[in-house]
Amino acid sequence: MRTSRPSSLIPHPFPMPDVIAKKYQIVREIARSNDVVYEAIDTTMGRRLAVKELVIPANLTGQGRRERIERFNREARAAGKLAHPNIVTVYDYGEDNGRYFIAMEYLEGGTLRDMLQTRGALPVAEAVDIASQVLSALSHAHAHQVVHRDVKPDNMHILPGGQVKLTDFGIARLTEEASLTGEGQVFGTPSYMSPEQIKGQSIDHRSDLFSVAIVAYEMLAGRKPFTGDSVISITYSIMENQPGPIQGIPFGLEQAIFRALSKDPRMRFSSADEMRNELKNADSLGSQRSRTGIGQTGYGTLGGFMLPAQSPGYGPSGGMNGSAFPPSSVFSSSNSRPPSIFGVSTPSVGPAPMGSTVFSPPPVNAPPTYGNAGAGPFVNWNPSGPNNPAMTPPPPPFPRQPAGPVFSEATRTFFKVLLIAVILGGALLGGVLLFQNAYEKQRKTSAAIAIEALNAEGKRLYEAGDLPGALARYEAALEKGGGTRGGDDARVSLVAIYNKAGINKFERGDYNGAEQAWFRAHDLGPDNKDVAYNLNRLYDRVGDKDNALKEWKQGREATSRVSNSDPGAPGDNNVLENRARNAMDLYNQGVTAMRQGNLDGARSFWEQAIGEAPGTDAARLSKQMMDQTASQPNF
């Protein structure tokens, strides 16, 4: 007699489902890096979600293991305390039999990295929209004392409708909790780290703004602003090099990105909201031409006429039954008529306005009218034809000419010769005009090619770090093509390069050189806000802001502003150095007074240092001590 095997020994046809915390049923693995992410089902809620599980290397023990677990839990707390439409939602986190997990919302779509690898550079409006959503998320996070520290395209998820979700708070810093990063330790992705993050210094919300600016640059230019063939060369580029210009975008937008990429955090935007507003409003974004050279107003061109883009709301193929124009219902009104198309009025739909005249064709059986008989647009309507001989119009009113020659043979010969001469003269004149037009077109084409070549050479030299050579090429292009598109492009590039040259000279203490560079940038771009901002910084530094700006606007020579033959003049560099030394002495006296318990005396010394040399390191340090002895600074 054959007996059956016990059921416990019969292999199950399918593996038993993996369940975490007795309610998160794993469906499949969807991502893996330092941790693993699963698609899962919350069996208690019947909800689809993502579960992130901590992966701890087997050789990680002791303090390293505890810090890894604490950092994972801190990620959950950082994201869990934030409720914002542009931040991934965390539902739950915890530990189940040694498995540490975070349960969060499931995101359709893909990352910004996937989008950039597929499409390359994005249109201006789309890139600004993505950056604005990320900045909105960061504004909320910063307001809740969370610094993300790893802003990059891989952590920006784009949902099918275009909504952006900021993800992965794995190395986020919670400012109200003790830091897990020791002094000198570096966490983050090298290509998107701020200079202070690379150096292992203390960071705040402005480090996130630097990373957003790198992502915005990459979206618009199709490349990263700081590159290299190794981590060392990339980080060196971030700390020392300036990014190249971005072609085909509004100048104000480029300047906003460059401001957020300042090496000094104090030169960046003060908040994510300020940066978002600047990106969205920079240089009338909607009026600029796109990368393809086609305007962004929703119109195309055909034969010199402007055609509205086809709307997806009409007809089976997106237009009005295949037409590029809206349906008649758009204009149906008892008090309006449809607009003319290419100068031809279309008939009115529905009753005509009071006082207007409506024309109609004659009735089918109406007798024909000729000459001036009748009225309306069909006054000269002639229905006669080969199949209707009875309706032949009356003969012409002019009698026929009598037979025989009207002019003599000599007269006709004269007119023939005259006609031939006129024809030949017209042909000759037409040939001359055609030659002149062709020559003028060729000359303009050659000039445009030469200007574009100068611009291209200027760009190459600029990217190679040869600022003087780039300036020479762009100046030549501007001189050759003033008022042309190539000349306008050269002007925009010159403003950007002179502005950056002024920044470099200013940071090296060459105030005269910085002033000259910024004056040239102002001459080329009088409405540029960044140049005016930099000039204000210069005059703050030399202590001559009020007078110098006024004199500059009145046309005073540039050499009389900062450089002065009088060694005691306010703009002289020797005086500036003396003031800086005096300010540093006052700062040190204040520190000594504070150590002796004389806080009021110390604050008095620091106030004097700020007034002695504003903008110097001594003034900055004195201001920090004033703030620290008054109250703790807010986040």
Side-chain angles (χ1 to χ4, degrees):
M1 179 178 177
R2 188 174 64 180
T3 60
S4 61
R5 295 175 58 190
S7 59
S8 60
L9 300 179
I10 299 176
H12 198 278
F14 301 102
M16 295 297 291
D18 187 10
V19 178
I20 297 178
K22 299 181 181 180
K23 60 178 180 178
Y24 301 126
Q25 181 175 326
I26 304 303
V27 176
R28 64 187 177 97
E29 179 180 321
I30 55 179
R32 179 182 290 268
S33 56
N34 293 331
D35 304 311
V36 60
V37 181
Y38 303 102
E39 178 186 352
I41 300 295
D42 184 347
T43 57
T44 61
M45 301 287 292
R47 174 170 57 189
R48 184 187 189 189
L49 49 85
V51 173
K52 183 175 184 179
E53 183 179 358
L54 173 63
V55 175
I56 304 177
N59 59 350
L60 186 64
T61 60
Q63 179 66 21
R65 178 184 176 87
R66 289 192 295 272
E67 287 186 0
R68 183 72 181 87
I69 295 172
E70 175 55 26
R71 195 174 297 279
F72 186 80
N73 291 334
R74 180 167 290 193
E75 173 186 0
R77 294 198 301 274
K81 68 186 297 187
L82 304 177
H84 190 274
N86 297 120
I87 297 177
V88 63
T89 302
V90 169
Y91 302 130
D92 184 19
Y93 78 98
E95 181 263 341
D96 179 30
N97 292 326
R99 302 177 68 179
Y100 298 87
F101 67 90
I102 301 175
M104 63 188 76
E105 67 174 312
Y106 185 87
L107 301 178
E108 299 283 358
T111 65
L112 177 59
R113 172 67 64 211
D114 301 331
M115 180 182 292
L116 293 176
Q117 289 177 345
T118 303
R119 297 172 53 188
L122 304 181
V124 171
E126 185 176 3
V128 170
D129 177 62
I130 292 173
S132 298
Q133 292 189 58
V134 173
L135 287 167
S136 179
L138 289 174
S139 175
H140 180 78
H142 296 162
H144 289 77
Q145 288 75 50
V146 176
V147 181
H148 191 281
R149 298 205 297 181
D150 198 18
V151 176
K152 58 183 179 180
D154 312 76
N155 293 337
M156 300 175 188
H157 204 95
I158 314 296
L159 301 185
Q163 183 180 1
V164 181
K165 291 280 189 176
L166 184 61
T167 66
D168 199 347
F169 286 75
I171 63 171
R173 177 190 170 203
L174 281 68
T175 57
E176 76 274 14
E177 297 186 12
S179 176
L180 291 177
T181 304
E183 183 176 356
Q185 284 185 306
V186 177
F187 285 93
T189 303
S191 295
Y192 301 91
M193 291 165 62
S194 64
E196 62 270 25
Q197 195 172 0
I198 292 172
K199 296 175 184 177
Q201 298 174 343
S202 176
I203 66 171
D204 59 15
H205 61 288
R206 293 170 296 186
S207 178
D208 283 346
L209 304 187
F210 188 93
S211 301
V212 173
I214 293 180
V215 176
Y217 186 105
E218 185 176 359
M219 288 192 290
L220 293 167
R223 66 182 188 279
K224 298 183 180 70
F226 308 106
T227 57
D229 53 7
S230 66
V231 173
I232 295 176
S233 59
I234 292 173
T235 54
Y236 177 84
S237 178
I238 291 174
M239 292 188 294
E240 300 296 335
N241 296 340
Q242 297 294 334
I246 308 174
Q247 298 294 331
I249 71 169
F251 178 68
L253 178 59
E254 183 187 51
Q255 287 299 295
I257 293 174
F258 286 163
R259 179 179 174 186
L261 289 175
S262 298
K263 312 298 184 187
D264 186 347
R266 296 171 299 177
M267 300 296 294
R268 301 172 200 156
F269 295 98
S270 61
S271 67
D273 286 333
E274 182 186 3
M275 182 176 175
R276 184 177 75 253
N277 293 334
E278 187 70 15
L279 291 180
K280 296 180 70 173
N281 299 328
D283 250 356
S284 301
L285 181 62
S287 65
Q288 299 295 326
R289 64 176 181 269
S290 67
R291 302 178 183 280
T292 60
I294 302 174
Q296 299 176 358
T297 56
Y299 287 79
T301 60
L302 177 63
F305 295 98
M306 295 300 296
L307 296 180
Q310 291 190 1
S311 169
Y314 304 120
S317 61
M320 182 194 66
N321 297 325
S323 171
F325 301 98
S328 60
S329 60
V330 174
F331 308 110
S332 60
S333 170
S334 60
N335 296 319
S336 65
R337 293 173 63 85
S340 62
I341 300 175
F342 301 148
V344 181
S345 299
T346 55
S348 175
V349 180
M354 182 176 294
S356 63
T357 303
V358 180
F359 297 112
S360 302
V364 175
N365 298 322
T369 58
Y370 305 101
N372 295 325
F378 299 93
V379 62
N380 294 319
W381 177 52
N382 184 359
S384 64
N387 297 325
N388 195 6
M391 303 185 70
T392 304
F398 301 102
R400 295 182 179 181
Q401 295 292 335
V406 177
F407 301 106
S408 65
E409 184 66 25
T411 302
R412 283 186 290 179
T413 301
F414 170 77
F415 279 113
K416 288 179 181 178
V417 173
L418 179 62
L419 178 61
I420 293 173
V422 170
I423 292 174
L424 291 176
L428 179 61
L429 178 61
V432 172
L433 293 176
L434 288 174
F435 175 78
Q436 289 180 340
N437 288 337
Y439 173 78
E440 185 65 20
K441 288 182 180 179
Q442 178 63 27
R443 187 184 66 82
K444 291 182 178 179
T445 302
S446 300
I449 293 173
I451 293 169
E452 290 300 328
L454 287 169
N455 284 337
E457 180 67 11
K459 178 183 177 183
R460 186 188 67 78
L461 292 173
Y462 176 82
E463 292 177 345
D466 184 2
L467 290 185
L471 288 173
R473 300 304 188 280
Y474 283 127
E475 288 282 9
L478 178 62
E479 182 179 358
K480 286 179 175 291
T484 66
R485 177 179 175 182
D488 292 341
D489 291 341
R491 183 185 301 275
V492 170
S493 298
L494 283 170
V495 172
I497 296 176
Y498 275 118
N499 187 36
K500 291 181 181 179
I503 292 174
N504 292 338
K505 293 178 182 295
F506 178 81
E507 291 177 348
R508 294 197 302 265
D510 182 5
Y511 302 132
N512 291 326
E515 185 189 44
Q516 295 304 318
W518 285 330
F519 278 159
R520 178 57 177 157
H522 171 77
D523 292 338
L524 295 170
D527 298 327
N528 188 275
K529 297 179 181 178
D530 290 301
V531 174
Y533 167 78
N534 288 329
L535 281 167
N536 279 326
R537 285 200 303 144
L538 171 66
Y539 295 124
D540 278 337
R541 175 68 62 87
V542 301
D544 195 25
K545 175 181 177 181
D546 296 334
N547 293 329
L549 282 180
K550 182 178 180 181
E551 292 166 0
W552 169 44
K553 292 179 180 178
Q554 291 175 350
R556 183 176 172 182
E557 290 297 326
T559 55
S560 66
R561 296 191 187 98
V562 173
S563 178
N564 199 302
S565 58
D566 179 8
D572 188 77
N573 286 343
N574 293 330
V575 173
L576 293 177
E577 293 173 1
N578 292 335
R579 289 183 178 179
R581 283 194 293 269
N582 293 338
M584 185 57 70
D585 291 339
L586 290 169
Y587 165 75
N588 290 330
Q589 293 178 41
V591 173
T592 301
M594 183 185 70
R595 290 173 178 173
Q596 294 174 353
N598 184 5
L599 183 58
D600 292 337
R603 291 175 61 85
S604 176
F605 282 121
W606 293 329
E607 287 179 351
Q608 295 177 50
I610 295 171
E612 177 69 14
T616 62
D617 291 338
R620 177 177 58 81
L621 293 172
S622 298
K623 181 63 170 58
Q624 291 178 357
M625 296 303 297
M626 291 285 290
D627 293 339
Q628 291 177 10
T629 55
S631 60
Q632 291 297 326
N634 294 327
F635 177 76

